Amino acid sequence: MIRRVVTAGLKALLLVPFVSMAAEKVESLRRLLAPIQCQVRGFHSGGSELVDFASTDIAVCTFERANSLINFCVESEPSLCAAIGIVVCDEVHMVGDDHRGAVVELLLAKTLMLPHCSSLQIVAMSATLASPKPLAEWLNGAAHFTAEHRPVPLTEFIKQGPIIYDRDKKEVRRLRPVVKSRDPDLLVPLVAEAREAGGATLIFCASRRAAENCAQLLSEIAPAGVSSVQTDAVDKQLKHLMRQGVAYYHAGLTAAERQTVEAAFRASQISVLTTTPALAAGVNLPCRRVIFRSPKIGTSAIGAVAYAQMSGRAGRAGIDEYGESFIMASNNAEMRLIQTLLSAEIGDISSQLRAPEAMARALLEAAGVGLVKVVSDIEKFIRRTLLGSLVAEQELFATTKRALAQLQ
């Protein structure tokens, strides 16, 4: 990406799912490229305005903001479209996400329809794809590369009662309780082990309240006594927890509080962070050990992709030599659920434009920016979607017909 920008003098779009990831990428790229005065800007909630793209070399965007940026260029500044030399889409598996997948697909479909698409380089990356082939075929028959090697080994464990099992349910060892009356599921020994070995721990809890309660429990039973942590931007409760080496991190925090917690965790000023699965994909905070308090998110079981994403936070190259994940079962039913989860395969990617409502929105947006002007353009557009690449022509046209009927 950087070579394309520097040698060809073209613009780059770096697409990421979350604001926190975008902000982190902007900061790291600015540091890296400061000597050559490459202009890096973040386009996300609270970020740069669309008009700033003209003077930007690398635009780091959330999916929704990138979609707006492409609309802006196509509709108002066609010359900027021609200036885009490369689009890098991180976490591209989210094209199959129930809530945001349609936006990702629409964004990339419009990119494929840009007049200079044949010379535009598109790079799509993911650590959780069953097979890259369907996406590669969609993206103009792109070359695809896979790597099974993980630079930092990750070992997965199951915990039920005091017993730690490996993923094949062979007993590895037993935990000794610290304060059994207040810690019946023996979370504290798992946290203490990582802390004593100099590693950080990320704990996934079922809800915001559960994350706060977990952090409070750990601050009382296993405090670290940190005095140097900066807590000016956080409330009284969180300030107290951070001074004990622990914090919670969820969507209820202000932007300033999140930034403060993130900075303290990265600086190893706090060694334990409790969070929620709902915020998991946006938490780009490497650690030594990941702990799941439950194999469920609310009343639903954690899916294979979500589990891979969350457990994958443990053990990052350049930070730790190994990573560990522990998923806790409170009963035999949960143990069976965990074994099913660990043996599950990640499913093939799917298109969210299969729903007529989503296809109707996509067609409206394509027409609104001028990519679809006449009836023949509709067919060109739908063939550029992931849906058009995955399904037979008959199903594609039937879905489009139902979508058009909703727009009448």
Side-chain angles (χ1 to χ4, degrees), residues 24-258:
E24 183 181 349
K25 288 293 184 184
V26 168
E27 184 179 342
S28 62
L29 285 171
R30 281 178 175 168
R31 285 198 305 267
L32 177 66
L33 301 175
I36 61 172
Q37 298 181 333
C38 184
Q39 186 64 255
V40 181
R41 286 197 175 97
F43 292 82
H44 49 75
S45 176
S48 299
E49 298 296 328
L50 297 180
V51 293
D52 294 327
F53 184 58
S55 58
T56 300
D57 297 309
I58 299 177
V60 184
C61 318
T62 54
F63 295 144
E64 289 77 11
R65 196 64 168 166
N67 189 47
S68 298
L69 187 57
I70 291 293
N71 287 347
F72 170 75
C73 292
V74 170
E75 189 174 16
S76 305
E77 297 288 346
S79 62
L80 290 180
C81 288
I84 301 172
I86 181 170
V87 176
V88 179
C89 183
D90 197 7
E91 310 286 1
V92 73
H93 61 270
M94 289 196 69
V95 73
D97 184 77
D98 293 343
H99 302 291
R100 304 175 71 195
V103 173
V104 181
E105 184 172 349
L106 175 57
L107 160 63
L108 292 176
K110 287 185 293 188
T111 302
L112 291 169
M113 289 191 71
L114 294 178
H116 70 301
C117 183
S118 59
S119 62
L120 175 65
Q121 187 176 5
I122 299 177
V123 179
M125 304 182 295
S126 173
T128 50
L129 278 177
S131 169
K133 188 176 179 181
L135 281 176
E137 291 176 349
W138 172 41
L139 300 175
N140 284 341
H144 57 87
F145 306 90
T146 58
E148 299 296 330
H149 173 68
R150 194 180 194 272
V152 177
L154 172 65
T155 308
E156 298 165 282
F157 299 98
I158 309 168
K159 190 197 82 66
Q160 184 178 23
I163 307 175
I164 303 295
Y165 301 94
D166 65 15
R167 59 177 295 145
D168 297 320
K169 213 191 171 184
K170 295 179 181 177
E171 184 174 336
V172 176
R173 57 192 172 88
R174 297 194 175 213
L175 296 172
R176 293 182 178 180
V178 177
V179 185
K180 190 172 182 179
S181 61
R182 299 196 61 193
D183 182 33
D185 55 358
L186 303 181
L187 175 64
V188 171
L190 285 179
V191 171
E193 285 177 352
R195 182 181 278 164
E196 289 168 7
T201 302
L202 188 62
I203 304 173
F204 289 106
C205 304
S207 66
R208 296 183 193 181
R209 176 59 63 186
E212 293 181 13
N213 290 342
C214 182
Q216 183 65 42
L217 174 70
L218 292 171
S219 74
E220 294 172 0
I221 298 178
V226 179
S227 59
S228 60
V229 64
Q230 296 297 314
T231 58
D232 294 341
V234 303
D235 67 16
K236 185 177 180 180
Q237 179 193 13
L238 196 51
K239 182 180 295 186
H240 169 74
L241 294 175
M242 292 177 70
R243 287 176 176 167
Q244 305 306 316
V246 62
Y248 55 82
Y249 184 96
H250 56 57
L253 299 184
T254 66
E257 286 174 332
R258 286 199 207 184

Side-chain angles (χ1 to χ4, degrees), residues 206 294-302 337:
S294 168
K296 294 182 178 181
I297 302 175
T299 58
S300 302
I302 297 173
L337 194 62

